[in-house]
Amino acid sequence: MSALDVTATGAAAEAVARHVPTLVADRVASRLFARDHTLWGRAAEEESAKRLSWTGLHRTSRHLVGEVAALRDELAATGYDRVVLCGMGGSSLAPEVICATAGVPIVVLDSSDPDVVRAALTDLDRTVVVVSSKSGSTVETDSQRRAFEQAFRDAGLDPAARMVVVTDPGSPLDAAARAGGFRVVNADPDVGGRYSALTAFGLVPSGLAGADIEALLDDAEAVADVLAEDDDANPALRLGAAMAGTEPLRDKLVLVDAGTENVGFGAWAEQLIAESTGKDGTGILPVVAVGAEPARLYDDGTVVRLVASDHDADADADHATPATASSLVTVAGPLGAQLLLWEAATAVAGRLLGISPFDQPDVESAKAAARELLEAGIGAGEEPAFTDGAVAVTALGGDWLGDATTVDAAVDALLGQLDRERGYVAVMAYLDRESDADLEHVARDLFDRTGRPATFGWGPRFLHSTGQYHKGGPATGVYVQVTTAPAQDLPVPGRDFTFGEFIAAQAGGDAAVLADHGRPVLRLHLTSHDAGLEQVRAALGRGRP
Ligand SMILES: O=P(O)(O)OC[C@H]1O[C@](O)(CO)[C@@H](O)[C@@H]1O
């Protein structure tokens, strides 16, 4: 009996029956875990050949258990009891879930909002900072690193004594950190960011924060052989088929926390699935359910109920509701096992969709557009069409705004562009995900109002997660971008831009690329944070049945 349980009903079960026998006959599972890079077609071979080491991390990461324990002992001399992790996407999403599940605190700084960065630059005498970047060139992470180095120096503290760098061997950050006398832990270069949960990227910050990283590797090891088996019962084959094998394709995957002990798992799976599959006009859109399970489901959706490992399968079988009866997958298992399960299932889904699950071809376009705006010094770009109260309204991607002169009317106009059969609404808030956390509920309001999937992402964090899907996936999204002026800007030491200018350029760049793809983008800029936020919340939630 595996520690993993994947049960499918409805269209998801039909997909399993339709595809798993062929996946078994083609020996996909055993070839995947033997790192066969030909599984995704010739065009994907070059990238796949250097992106498959995650299949053996439960063995090859074992050295990190001792190394992280030694690092903790060394750093104990600083008296730290606070760990801050600077990293984006795959360089921070896994530690956030690992630590939340282990019940140990960690501050994940994955924002370029100056007020958010400043709030992290506190309690420096009891803080250790982990700077994680595979490429070593992600501007958010580099800027955060610069800010912390400056802050430690200003506080009379040696940055090298309190900062640990995790990066690929030979990255620009690797060279610079070693030259600067910093501790560097190199990660396995043959693992992509969103598959790196069980590499140094997931394990070093989590271990320093106090999570039991050996148990995590043990849980992955306990299921590795099952996931590598060419067998109809293989949970990865079943989950991959349920994700990407429905006909017609149900390409919205609603992730529901239905009692799982893996806290915040949906946010990690969201990047893995969206950035792996959302390209070449296809892909699976993860919709992380906010609040209770949806009472109904759109025809192009499948619900995934993430249940507790000790769940009662019979009780779950009786759980079918109008929302889940049409297509449902129930998944149970400990975190270490599920990290490997979902990585393998996503790789299987990529094969079924006919795309490479290991590249992210459209992410660079938004970064380039942001750099252009930054160099031009024009903030987020486009001028607002009008201001209503505390919200400046800008419409991009066509002249769909019509004669709207209020935020309510602008939201109505955007939703008028929504394809009611295949479309989705994406809310992207470049705000503080701690203090403005309540705004996430507008996703549920928009679902209740339109009956269509609505996702919510914090900017710029989502740019390293669903951002690839928005640009490379099906052209069926309509986008609401919420931005604000910082309470107080913050310079990026050694750079010719501030954090405030950078985050504005990131929002402007992403909106420009979406508009270039012909997608409607409504930017709601809060000219006064609290009043503006109230207006935006009311406008997006208005018209709920
Ligand atoms: O670890 P890095 O190189 O800073 O990249 C951070 C994230 O940005 C991306 O490269 C692009 O979104 C992700 O794949 C990755 O997880």
Side-chain angles (χ1 to χ4, degrees):
M1 172 68 180
S2 159
L4 287 169
D5 179 22
V6 173
T7 310
T9 55
E14 289 162 16
V16 170
R18 180 180 305 117
H19 290 287
V20 168
T22 306
L23 292 167
V24 170
D26 292 347
R27 298 186 305 104
V28 170
S30 57
R31 290 166 62 193
L32 174 62
F33 278 80
R35 301 182 203 173
D36 177 350
H37 65 288
T38 67
L39 285 168
W40 298 276
R42 183 168 297 287
E45 286 186 6
E46 186 183 348
E47 183 80 11
S48 305
K50 57 186 180 183
R51 289 287 178 262
L52 287 168
S53 288
W54 52 271
T55 56
L57 291 171
H58 49 283
R59 290 188 307 276
T60 58
S61 282
R62 289 287 170 179
H63 65 91
L64 288 169
V65 175
E67 285 177 33
V68 171
L71 205 44
R72 278 191 69 171
D73 293 344
E74 262 181 60
L75 291 166
T78 68
Y80 85 93
D81 64 0
R82 177 174 178 256
V83 176
V84 175
L85 170 57
C86 300
M88 306 303 293
S91 286
S92 58
L93 288 168
E96 190 160 37
V97 177
I98 294 166
C99 291
T101 301
V104 296
I106 187 168
V107 174
V108 173
L109 179 61
D110 56 2
S111 176
S112 41
D113 177 310
D115 299 320
V116 175
V117 175
R118 182 183 299 104
L121 296 171
T122 56
D123 302 312
L124 294 175
D125 59 341
R126 44 183 277 264
T127 295
V128 157
V129 177
V130 181
V131 177
S132 290
S133 176
K134 176 179 177 63
S135 62
S137 58
T138 299
V139 179
E140 295 97 321
T141 314
D142 178 64
S143 302
Q144 296 154 356
R145 175 184 62 79
R146 291 164 180 266
F148 266 102
E149 275 192 44
Q150 185 69 55
F152 278 126
R153 285 199 188 92
D154 293 349
L157 298 166
D158 174 10
R162 295 167 180 275
M163 295 176 78
V164 178
V165 168
V166 182
T167 187
D168 271 9
S171 78
L173 177 59
D174 185 33
R178 291 180 189 281
F182 288 87
R183 292 181 180 88
V184 179
V185 181
N186 282 145
D188 185 332
D190 290 342
V191 178
R194 54 191 179 269
Y195 291 83
S196 67
L198 296 176
T199 70
F201 289 111
L203 302 180
V204 169
S206 306
L208 289 180
D212 181 348
I213 59 175
E214 184 168 26
L216 209 61
L217 292 170
D218 291 346
D219 286 340
E221 181 142 32
V223 298
D225 290 347
V226 167
L227 297 177
E229 224 168 321
D230 299 315
D231 184 291
D232 285 349
N234 184 325
L237 297 181
R238 298 166 63 80
L239 182 55
M243 283 166 69
T246 45
E247 283 176 24
L249 182 63
R250 289 170 173 257
D251 58 359
K252 313 313 188 279
L253 200 69
V254 184
L255 302 173
V256 178
D257 178 344
T260 177
E261 65 272 27
N262 306 320
V263 179
F265 188 82
W268 173 81
E270 180 181 49
Q271 183 208 20
L272 174 68
I273 299 163
E275 198 168 77
S276 296
T277 66
K279 57 199 73 166
D280 302 345
T282 187
I284 305 297
L285 177 65
V287 182
V288 181
V290 177
E293 199 160 324
R296 54 196 167 88
L297 185 67
Y298 21 84
D299 294 342
D300 51 342
T302 287
V303 171
V304 176
R305 298 183 70 243
L306 300 167
V307 298
S309 293
D310 61 358
H311 74 118
D312 172 354
D314 297 336
D316 281 319
D318 300 338
H319 191 91
T321 65
T324 58
S326 58
S327 189
L328 167 68
V329 185
T330 303
V331 181
L335 182 56
Q338 287 219 41
L339 293 171
L340 189 54
L341 163 69
W342 283 87
E343 289 165 357
T346 302
V348 169
R351 176 179 168 91
L352 293 176
L353 291 169
I355 49 94
S356 162
F358 302 118
D359 62 359
Q360 47 285 331
D362 300 284
V363 170
E364 183 51 34
S365 58
K367 293 182 181 179
R371 279 195 297 270
E372 270 178 46
L373 285 170
L374 214 42
E375 282 151 19
I378 52 174
E382 296 269 340
E383 285 305 310
F386 61 84
T387 295
D388 169 12
V391 180
V393 175
T394 308
L396 300 98
D399 57 358
W400 48 267
L401 192 58
D403 56 2
T405 58
T406 66
V407 177
D408 285 359
V411 170
D412 290 346
L414 180 79
L415 296 181
Q417 302 294 304
L418 178 62
D419 175 336
R420 298 287 166 149
E421 300 300 317
R422 305 291 299 176
Y424 67 93
V425 187
V427 180
M428 311 171 296
Y430 291 77
L431 302 174
D432 183 336
R433 68 186 173 103
E434 303 289 336
S435 57
D436 293 333
D438 185 53
L439 188 63
E440 277 192 338
H441 291 280
V442 295
R444 188 53 183 270
D445 295 341
L446 284 163
F447 166 67
D448 290 345
R449 173 173 175 174
T450 65
R452 293 301 303 156
T455 64
F456 187 97
W458 296 100
R461 169 180 158 111
F462 81 89
L463 290 172
H464 302 273
S465 173
T466 47
Q468 165 59 41
Y469 180 95
H470 293 168
K471 302 177 206 45
T476 54
V478 299
Y479 303 89
V480 180
Q481 193 180 69
V482 185
T483 58
T484 187
Q488 185 185 351
D489 206 347
L490 183 71
V492 179
R495 301 304 293 264
D496 59 357
F497 54 83
T498 66
F499 279 97
E501 289 164 344
F502 177 42
I503 195 169
Q506 289 184 286
D510 188 48
V513 171
L514 288 169
D516 288 348
H517 282 60
R519 303 317 305 153
V521 181
L522 172 61
R523 177 181 300 137
L524 302 176
H525 179 75
L526 314 182
T527 56
S528 164
H529 177 275
D530 296 352
L533 197 56
E534 209 38 58
Q535 271 183 267
V536 166
R537 181 78 201 267
L540 294 175
R542 195 172 52 83
R544 288 182 56 187

